[in-house]
Amino acid sequence: MTDIKIYAIWDAGVRRFHWINVLCIIGLIAIGVVILNAKLLGVSVEGKILLKTIHVWIGYVFALNLSWRIIWAFIGGRYSRWSAFLPFRQGYIKETRDYISNFSSGQAKQYLGHNPLGRLAVTLLIFLLFVQAVTGLVLAGTDIYYPPLGSWIANWIAAPGIDPATLVPYSKELYDEEAYKAMRAFRKPFITIHYYGFYTLLLFIVVHISAVVITELKEGGNLISAMFTGKKILTKSPEDE
Ligand code: HEM
């Protein structure tokens, strides 16, 4: 007979982070796509500045939520912690191999926290989100002179006699030409990483959602509803109890 047990796994901290993160990413991607295609869509300069400003405000919420999750990984519940999901502990490779072979033969093992592949995926995802947040915060400074670097950038590029606090984007007459060129060179690697980070994230999102659906169908454990209720329902004895 199958022994069905209910376990409280995802604490409120993880669930709140997850859904705020989803909402922010939808907003950031939607506006990011419009910024990317601004020329094609005939968006005016004022429109572009507005889009970037909204993108940055959502970005602040996203970056704060992510920072909070990084702290929560030190102080949160057992399954929210780095120790529960970083894929570096001893025996990880063997555990992953066993997990994949059991999964492929239809005998998937069940986990309370993330399964070995899930651990790798979550680590890569958090790293990618962190990269998007850091590069985005630099771009907020170089593009619209917003914090945390905005006033430093404005001081750097303001033409002699121009108050840096009055700088507005796309107004070359207010900038010192040489300093502006140097600032654009400084910005270049950040926009390149932000741009490729965006495409990598799109790919990750597809993989993440497909993996969750396939795992739920093959392994059980109601992964999807657990991110709402925090509770997993398992039919086997979990590997990581
Ligand atoms: C998951 C998170 C994020 C995604 C998917 C994302 C996506 C994008 C995309 C697709 C673009 C257009 C890139 C281009 O024009 O080449 C963009 C631009 C930009 N992003 Fe983000 N972004 C994210 C987070 C952030 C954050 C946290 C901030 C700042 C708080 C930010 C600030 C900016 C700025 C200022 C631009 C304008 C750069 C330009 O001139 O094109 N982004 N973002």
Side-chain angles (χ1 to χ4, degrees), residues 13 34 37 178 204:
V34 182
N37 296 291
E178 285 307 307
F204 263 57

Side-chain angles (χ1 to χ4, degrees), residues 27 38 41 56 58 80 88 113-114 128 131 137 163 177 200 202 232:
L41 297 168
V56 165
I58 302 175
S80 329
F88 306 126
H114 297 290
L128 187 56
V131 168
L137 288 169
D163 176 2
E177 207 181 318
T200 315
L202 287 186
K232 280 195 176 181

